[in-house]
Amino acid sequence: MASTDNAENTTPMHDLKTDPEKAAQPESDLGGETEPDPEDARGPIPGDKPGDATKLEDAGPPDGGAAAWLVVLGAWCCSFSSPGWINSVGSFQQYYEVGPLKDYSSSAIAWIPSLQIFFLFALGPVVGIIFDNYGPRPLIIGGTLLHVFGLMMASLAKTYYQFILSQGVCSAIGVASLACVSTWFSKKRGAAMGIMVTGSSVGGVIFPIMISRMIQSTGYPWAMRTAAFLILGLQVIAILTVRPRTKPVPKKMPAGRFAAPFREFPFVMLLLGIFVLTYGIFIPIDYLAVQGFQEAHMSEEMAQYLVSIFNAASLFGRLVAGYGADIIGRWNMFIIACALSGISEFAVWIPAKHSSIAIGFAIMFGFASGAFIGLSGALPVSVSPLPEIGYRLGVVFLAISIPALTMAPIGGAILQNSVNGWLDVKIFGGVMCLAGSAIILVSRLLYTEKKLLKVF
């Protein structure tokens, strides 16, 4: 990590193991000042040409201007089309179960949304390497083509394997390629990033309602085509506006650094905590509409609206989590919010056998769980050496992808094979949420030398 006294120095890997306080760059005790964002202190990166870091430091982000805000506009379009689409996958689970795939089990159908979420995160390391070497434009162009083509093919799908290949795989690969933006801000970075992430929540509100209404009025094929055309229009804007602030310089990471995160025990605990926590967060997201329709006795249309209600609450949750993270620390905010998500599954989702309670849970869980998406990327960034930030962030996303792939089929299997049905699904989600939060708390204590009241 770069020191606050000398931005040209980076922390050797042996210091990370012997001095976790130095590696993590923890913030001061409650009430004190916080240290600068590690991205603000750029040290030399292996593979950079001599003087590159100095030029970047001298120039600095413009922190405004037409070009910078156009990048935010394009990034917002990517956020709307990429995670915004992923946030609406729960509505498809419900539609497929009562529509074209009604002869298949919930567990089998669940592979379609699970594959979308899996590829969004699993390709993170690959996308990060391409982005570091070639910038965002090739990724946005290629991702747009794959995403739109996959949805167009899904509109023609008739059989289970066609839905899997078109929507579950092809479209999802395109989504992963869109998950890249450039950073043009320093002092206004929080505001710029806050504006950008609202795109995913807005997309998560609009897509379920639009798809549900159009399926009833024009049918499933044209609903998917309309969504594809909307995404294509937004991505044209992104292609024209999103560009890197500096020309990408291809770099090669030393081989030893690929294994470095796995030799750092607190980081391994972070990976384990994120892995467990993902089950608890995504189980309710994927089964929200199904549970509302089957157990809370909601109409099919109202059950679809639960996904939009969840995403609307998540929008405010992300904004509040970002503001709270500046006050009490990213790790503290993340742990508290995820623990509250688990508590809400036990306290509100278990008794949600009426529509009013199901709506209340969608609001409460959406608000609390907003921090998971909003801050999960900030945790590894705050404890990683500068040359490894992109790679370690990709490793964390890879840890999310595995439970994201298996959580919906596991939930479907529990629902079909357990005696208590929905009760066991809800207990499973709540336990995984609280267990994951506890493991990440252990990682945080290791990074801060067991200082509980520390802004971190």
Side-chain angles (χ1 to χ4, degrees):
M1 293 290 288
S3 168
T4 56
D5 296 326
N6 185 359
E8 299 295 329
N9 295 331
T10 54
T11 303
M13 283 309 302
H14 64 79
D15 284 350
L16 291 178
K17 292 183 283 187
T18 58
D19 190 359
E21 184 82 12
K22 182 177 179 182
Q25 280 193 333
E27 299 155 358
S28 61
D29 289 333
L30 290 172
E33 296 182 356
T34 60
E35 294 191 13
D37 192 299
E39 294 181 26
D40 293 336
R42 296 182 62 90
I45 299 174
D48 281 352
K49 296 179 180 179
D52 282 353
T54 304
K55 291 178 183 178
L56 280 172
E57 189 177 1
D58 291 342
D63 239 357
W69 288 111
L70 282 174
V71 170
V72 174
L73 172 63
W76 188 93
C77 294
C78 286
S79 181
F80 183 100
S81 305
S82 173
W85 177 261
I86 291 295
N87 284 343
S88 66
V89 296
S91 61
F92 287 100
Q93 176 79 19
Q94 165 64 14
Y95 169 73
Y96 290 147
E97 288 195 14
V98 298
L101 300 178
K102 59 184 178 181
D103 295 330
Y104 289 83
S105 66
S106 296
S107 182
I109 295 172
W111 284 106
I112 299 173
S114 293
L115 280 169
Q116 293 188 70
I117 300 172
F118 169 76
F119 281 113
L120 174 68
F121 292 106
L123 295 181
V126 177
V127 169
I129 292 172
I130 296 174
F131 176 76
D132 288 340
N133 287 277
Y134 303 104
R137 185 157 294 175
L139 289 166
I140 296 176
I141 293 174
T144 299
L145 294 176
L146 284 172
H147 194 15
V148 173
F149 176 76
L151 294 181
M152 289 294 186
M153 292 299 100
S155 72
L156 303 175
K158 301 293 184 183
T159 61
Y160 177 75
Y161 83 90
Q162 291 174 340
F163 284 106
I164 283 283
L165 292 177
S166 60
Q167 190 175 351
V169 178
C170 185
S171 174
I173 293 174
V175 167
S177 301
L178 299 175
C180 288
V181 296
S182 299
T183 302
W184 283 64
F185 296 85
S186 178
K187 294 180 181 179
K188 299 179 181 178
R189 181 180 298 142
M193 295 299 291
I195 293 171
M196 185 202 72
V197 299
T198 60
S200 62
S201 293
V202 175
V205 172
I206 291 177
F207 278 126
I209 297 176
M210 184 184 80
I211 295 295
S212 176
R213 288 295 183 91
M214 292 200 68
I215 286 175
Q216 295 177 10
S217 59
T218 63
Y220 174 82
W222 270 108
M224 298 297 286
R225 291 167 197 153
T226 303
F229 283 126
L230 174 60
I231 290 171
L232 177 61
L234 291 172
Q235 290 311 117
V236 169
I237 297 175
I239 291 169
L240 296 175
T241 57
V242 176
R243 59 186 179 89
R245 183 172 60 86
T246 58
K247 185 178 180 179
V249 179
K251 297 178 285 290
K252 184 178 181 181
M253 182 182 289
R257 283 190 173 156
F258 284 100
F262 304 100
R263 295 196 297 263
E264 187 179 324
F265 183 68
F267 196 85
V268 173
M269 292 299 292
L270 170 63
L271 292 177
L272 178 61
I274 291 288
F275 179 90
V276 174
L277 187 59
T278 302
Y279 282 104
I281 294 293
F282 279 102
I283 282 284
I285 292 176
D286 193 63
Y287 282 100
L288 195 62
V290 180
Q291 187 271 337
F293 178 73
Q294 293 184 359
E295 190 182 35
H297 309 295
M298 304 176 75
S299 66
E300 184 178 345
E301 182 178 6
M302 190 61 204
Q304 299 287 355
Y305 284 149
L306 282 178
V307 180
S308 295
I309 293 171
F310 163 84
N311 283 302
S314 178
L315 167 63
F316 294 99
R318 294 180 194 191
L319 295 175
V320 171
Y323 178 76
D326 291 337
I327 299 175
I328 67 174
R330 301 166 183 172
W331 286 65
N332 296 335
M333 188 71 242
F334 183 86
I335 294 168
I336 292 171
C338 292
L340 287 176
S341 299
I343 292 172
S344 70
E345 291 184 50
F346 282 111
V348 185
W349 202 25
I350 287 180
K353 297 181 180 180
H354 301 282
S355 59
S356 58
I357 304 178
I359 294 172
F361 171 74
I363 296 172
M364 182 176 179
F365 183 77
F367 183 84
S369 64
F372 179 82
I373 299 298
L375 296 177
S376 57
L379 303 191
V381 168
S382 65
V383 295
S384 300
L386 286 176
E388 299 178 18
I389 284 178
Y391 170 64
R392 290 195 179 209
L393 187 60
V395 170
V396 169
F397 286 157
L398 187 61
I400 294 176
S401 69
I402 299 172
L405 175 65
T406 58
M407 57 87 193
I410 288 175
I414 294 174
L415 184 61
Q416 291 178 349
N417 300 321
S418 68
V419 177
N420 298 316
W422 281 110
L423 177 62
D424 290 341
V425 173
K426 296 170 183 178
I427 291 174
F428 174 76
V431 168
M432 298 302 272
C433 249
L434 295 179
S437 301
I439 296 171
I440 295 176
L441 176 61
V442 172
S443 175
R444 176 215 177 276
L445 292 174
L446 292 172
Y447 273 121
T448 59
E449 296 183 341
K450 301 180 181 179
K451 295 180 181 178
L452 190 61
L453 298 178
K454 178 177 281 292
V455 175
F456 184 74

